[in-house]
Amino acid sequence: MTINGTPIQTAGDLAVPAVVFPGQRAVESAHRVAYDLLSRRAPREALDVLAPALEEEPDNRGLRVLRAWAYFMRAQLGPAERELTALVEDDPTDVWVRHALGRTLERQSRLAEALPHLRLAHAMSGDLDHELDVLRVERLLLA
């Protein structure tokens, strides 16, 4: 689809123009557009935007995090787990990635594996939502 001759990505009723600002690389544009799509709950479209950018820069951590988020939102838990595991190995101090890996394992009913990641994310962040996730998984393990 195009608007005024400009190709766009669509997400249902969302129209996302493929805008690249002067001096901005396509990878930077992909990051911005994919983040916007994910914040609007359009993970399939975000994955479509991320794929060519990741072909160009396969080690781009920001793009990989967005891809993991998109997989998680689409309940593609195997690919999400693989991406998040690799990201945790690259940077064990990344709270968001650590928490997302714990949630991904929890959604697969792998509670004992999820708990250490959730506990670490809570310890690193002190975030109340992270604490609630830890308590939920602990209670499920006791049930």
Side-chain angles (χ1 to χ4, degrees):
M1 170 185 269
T2 62
I3 295 179
N4 295 333
T6 302
I8 61 166
Q9 300 269 339
T10 59
D13 60 349
L14 303 174
V16 183
V19 175
V20 178
F21 295 102
Q24 183 179 48
R25 298 179 357 233
V27 170
E28 293 162 344
S29 177
H31 188 281
R32 183 181 47 77
V33 171
Y35 182 89
D36 184 56
L37 286 165
L38 289 168
S39 68
R40 295 199 249 165
R41 310 220 33 96
R44 181 180 57 80
E45 293 78 10
L47 286 169
D48 291 343
V49 168
L50 290 168
L54 280 161
E55 283 181 23
E56 186 178 326
E57 289 189 26
D59 296 327
N60 184 308
R61 184 172 179 83
L63 296 176
R64 292 174 57 211
V65 167
L66 292 176
R67 179 170 58 188
W69 183 15
Y71 286 147
F72 181 81
M73 287 177 70
R74 287 184 52 94
Q76 291 180 287
L77 301 178
E81 179 187 352
R82 286 188 292 279
E83 188 75 69
L84 291 164
T85 298
L87 288 164
V88 164
E89 289 171 1
D90 291 345
D91 181 4
T93 65
D94 187 321
V95 174
W96 186 91
V97 170
R98 175 82 57 185
H99 183 258
L101 178 56
R103 291 284 294 125
T104 299
L105 294 166
E106 178 189 358
R107 287 180 70 185
Q108 295 176 74
S109 299
R110 294 163 53 194
L111 303 177
E113 292 174 69
L115 191 55
H117 295 288
L118 295 173
R119 282 181 174 156
L120 276 170
H122 174 252
M124 289 188 285
S125 70
D127 187 279
L128 179 60
D129 288 334
H130 293 176
E131 182 179 10
L132 293 173
D133 290 339
V134 169
L135 293 172
R136 181 185 59 251
V137 171
E138 286 175 341
R139 288 188 178 141
L140 288 169
L141 279 169
L142 292 173

